[in-house]
């Protein structure tokens, strides 16, 4: 068994990484500790880099197609990790999940149609709908005692706007909420009964932390299975977001045909030279790395939890059940939202995601990315303490 060293700090400067090399452009300041964009600072698993190297060594870099073993690796992963039986013809490639969301919106709704999202939620859920000139309908999550739940009392009030689609973040970003089967069944019933197609973004599914289990939306009921499009990817899981290799599965043939007509009609189906081989390597050979990284992330979360309780009790955290992103609540600090943002940047020297970018429900919140070496997490918290105590 290989033991991976997640304590090793890798200097990512000068690699054109958005997280590192865009800090100045985004925050107007150099040298902030980058704890924002959702990729991890750990080395991408060697088996994936080796698969890319094999492709680099290829003498001719021509058009590349997905092989049968690529599809099989996805099918087997879904079966093994999520108890899902998906036929190869129900699967398809997309070059990124956000593009996939946009294709779904454009293929399956019309201009000005209502699309429900549940803020605070990943900013592109807002922007994809807005830029596609659809109407955003909000069903804000309930945040109670550092826990999110879906607001099933509010959801029916949106029916007057005749929603056509709901985009679900499963597990949820920010906050790392792993939705329960019961919640997903209720959502599936509501959407099916009201003719609202569910787009389930499950990019964080494989990052559920020890003690939690992901429930694929499509698996919870027949209503869910026949009324959904699911997007997944190895990108977050194996720290290979720069490869832009994702996939969908659609079990309802009518929905699938509409989606596929759109992607085929716009020639959006193909991946680049590295997309398929790296994904296959991740699913076939990456599991040992994944199990270890999840333990490490979980220890980072515990570290933050203990540190905040001890030194910064007015900053509350939502304990993630999946992924490496911590939703911090600054409401008890007595500061305004803008003061918190400014203090983090100018006094603590930290780059965190502004909670408001997830929707106005994110006021007084910030998102902290702890997918990094423990020493960096420690440094971030030391800086926070110096600024806030
Ligand atoms: C919920 C969610 N969906 C999609 C993405 C990005 O997907 P992609 O890079 O494949 O477009 C992210 C990245 O943080 C995310 O959190």
């Amino acid at each position: 068994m290989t033991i991976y060293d997640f304590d090793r700090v890798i200097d990512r400067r000068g690699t054109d990484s958005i997280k590192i090399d865009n800090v100045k452009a985004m925050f107007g300041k150099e040298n902030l500790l980058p704890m924002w964009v959702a990729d991890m600072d750990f080395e991408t698993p060697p088996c994936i880099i080796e698969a890319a190297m094999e492709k680099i060594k290829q003498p001719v870099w021509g058009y590349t197609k997905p092989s049968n073993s690529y599809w099989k690796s996805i099918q087997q992963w879904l079966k093994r990790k999520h108890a899902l039986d998906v036929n190869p013809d129900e699967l398809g490639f997309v070059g990124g999940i956000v593009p996939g969301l946009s294709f779904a919106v454009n293929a399956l709704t019309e201009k000005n149609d209502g699309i429900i999202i549940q803020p605070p939620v990943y900013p592109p859920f807002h922007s994809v709908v807005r830029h596609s000139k659809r109407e955003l309908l909000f069903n804000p999550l309930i945040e109670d005692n550092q826990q999110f739940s879906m607001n099933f009392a509010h959801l029916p009030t949106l029916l007057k706007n005749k929603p056509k689609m709901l985009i679900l973040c499963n597990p949820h970003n920010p906050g790392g909420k792993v939705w329960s089967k019961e919640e997903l069944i209720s959502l599936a019933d509501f959407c099916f009964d009201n003719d609202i197609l569910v787009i389930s973004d499950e990019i964080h599914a494989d990052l559920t932390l020890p003690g939690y289990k992901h429930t694929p939306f499509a698996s919870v009921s027949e209503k869910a299975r026949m009324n959904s499009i699911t997007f997944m990817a190895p990108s977050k899981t194996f720290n290979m977001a720069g490869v832009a290799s994702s996939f969908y599965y659609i079990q309802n043939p009518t929905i699938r045909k509409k989606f596929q007509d759109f992607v085929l009609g716009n020639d959006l189906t193909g991946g680049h030279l590295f997309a398929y081989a790296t994904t296959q390597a991740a699913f076939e050979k990456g599991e040992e790395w994944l199990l270890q990284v999840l333990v490490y992330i979980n220890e980072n979360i515990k570290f933050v939890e203990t540190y905040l309780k001890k030194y910064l009790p007015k900053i509350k955290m939502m304990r993630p059940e999946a992924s490496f992103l911590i939703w911090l609540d600054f409401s008890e600090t007595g500061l305004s939202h803008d003061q918190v943002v400014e203090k983090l940047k100018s006094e603590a020297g930290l780059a965190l995601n502004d909670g408001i970018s997830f929707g106005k429900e994110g006021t007084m919140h910030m998102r902290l990315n702890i997918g990094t070496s423990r020493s960096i997490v420690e440094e971030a918290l030391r800086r926070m303490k110096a600024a806030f105590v």
Side-chain angles (χ1 to χ4, degrees), residues 75-311:
Q75 260 184 301
Q76 289 181 341
W77 183 265
L78 294 179
K79 177 89 187 144
R80 197 166 77 251
K81 302 293 280 187
H82 303 294
L84 272 171
D85 277 310
V86 177
N87 292 327
D89 63 353
E90 296 166 342
L91 281 168
F93 175 87
V94 266
I97 288 191
V98 175
L101 298 177
S102 165
F103 305 162
V105 165
N106 284 280
L108 290 138
T109 64
E110 304 290 333
K111 289 234 158 38
N112 302 318
D113 278 352
I115 300 185
I116 304 173
I117 63 170
Q118 306 193 88
V121 71
Y122 180 56
F125 280 31
H126 301 249
S127 55
V128 159
V129 176
R130 269 204 193 100
H131 289 305
S132 302
K133 308 279 184 278
R134 272 60 171 172
E135 188 192 359
L136 266 176
L137 303 175
F138 297 111
N139 185 48
L141 296 175
I142 298 167
E143 186 175 352
D144 184 28
N145 204 15
Q146 270 64 59
Q147 274 291 328
F148 277 142
S149 57
M150 291 189 205
N151 193 339
F152 287 105
H154 183 261
L155 205 45
T157 66
L158 299 175
L159 290 176
K160 61 179 180 307
N161 300 83
K162 301 199 171 36
K164 294 286 181 325
M165 182 177 272
L166 179 145
I167 310 179
L168 169 70
C169 198
N170 179 37
H172 194 82
N173 170 17
K177 175 74 188 169
V178 171
W179 300 116
S180 69
K181 191 170 178 191
E182 292 68 36
E183 280 168 304
L184 296 176
I185 289 175
S186 302
L187 193 69
D189 286 350
F190 173 82
C191 290
F192 184 91
D193 296 346
N194 293 291
D195 217 2
I196 301 167
L197 176 64
V198 178
I199 309 301
S200 190
D201 175 341
E202 305 197 359
I203 196 169
H204 295 282
D206 291 312
L207 285 167
T208 45
L209 293 160
Y212 295 95
K213 182 137 183 54
H214 170 68
T215 306
F217 177 77
S219 74
V220 298
S221 65
E222 192 55 15
K223 285 182 176 178
R225 197 175 77 82
M226 291 311 282
N227 185 40
S228 59
I229 297 181
T230 300
F231 290 104
M232 296 185 83
S235 50
K236 299 280 144 186
T237 320
F238 296 100
N239 209 27
M240 52 185 281
V243 176
S245 171
S246 322
F247 62 92
Y248 62 84
Y249 65 88
I250 310 173
Q251 292 179 311
N252 179 324
T254 311
I255 298 170
R256 189 164 67 237
K257 168 101 177 53
K258 280 193 186 156
F259 184 82
Q260 288 179 339
D261 281 350
F262 181 88
V263 289
L264 283 167
N266 291 283
D267 194 16
L268 299 165
T269 53
H272 53 73
L273 182 67
F274 305 103
Y276 309 117
T278 52
T279 295
Q280 184 180 333
F283 288 144
E284 284 180 356
K285 302 179 193 155
E287 195 163 358
E288 195 173 75
W289 182 93
L290 176 58
L291 294 176
Q292 291 180 40
V293 87
L294 287 172
V295 170
Y296 194 88
I297 292 169
N298 205 35
E299 289 303 314
N300 276 359
I301 293 169
K302 282 190 203 157
F303 182 85
V304 175
E305 200 169 31
T306 310
Y307 194 99
L308 292 182
K309 275 205 183 112
K310 188 160 175 197
Y311 298 111

Side-chain angles (χ1 to χ4, degrees), residues 370-386:
I370 52 83
T372 188
S373 306
R374 186 85 25 88
S375 60
I376 307 250
V377 176
E378 285 177 24
E379 173 64 16
L381 290 170
R382 264 196 301 275
R383 290 179 181 208
M384 227 185 264
K385 180 172 167 230

Side-chain angles (χ1 to χ4, degrees), residues 330-341 343 364 387-388:
F330 290 78
S331 317
E332 290 181 17
T333 57
L335 301 166
S336 70
H337 182 84
D338 289 349
Q339 284 170 326
V340 170
V341 170
K343 221 176 191 2
M364 294 312 298
F388 282 86

